[in-house]
Amino acid sequence: MSLLSLLRDGLGLTGAHYGCGHGACGACYVVIDRRPVPACVTSVEHAVGKEIVTIEGLAQGDVLHPV
């Protein structure tokens, strides 16, 4: 399972979007251990035990970060 599928379908975090499916367009990027990573081509197994930040994690209250 891709990290993107888990985030969107399993956890309801819809800030990362499916775009090209190859990690080239940037629509699905999240930050794993302080590095930008395409969630559409990253397996859940690769992300286990790591710090994952989505666009929702950059929000201040109800205001999303403008990134």
Side-chain angles (χ1 to χ4, degrees):
M1 171 184 269
S2 74
L3 179 58
L4 180 62
S5 293
L6 175 66
L7 292 172
R8 291 186 59 82
D9 302 332
L11 300 176
L13 298 172
T14 58
H17 294 273
Y18 182 85
C20 67
H22 302 286
C25 72
C28 67
Y29 270 62
V30 297
V31 178
I32 298 180
D33 288 342
R34 300 183 183 158
R35 301 177 102 172
V37 175
C40 71
V41 294
T42 301
S43 69
V44 171
E45 292 82 13
H46 175 77
V48 170
K50 297 180 179 172
E51 178 186 32
I52 302 168
V53 179
T54 65
I55 191 70
E56 291 91 348
L58 299 176
Q60 293 183 3
D62 291 336
V63 179
L64 289 178
H65 192 278
V67 171

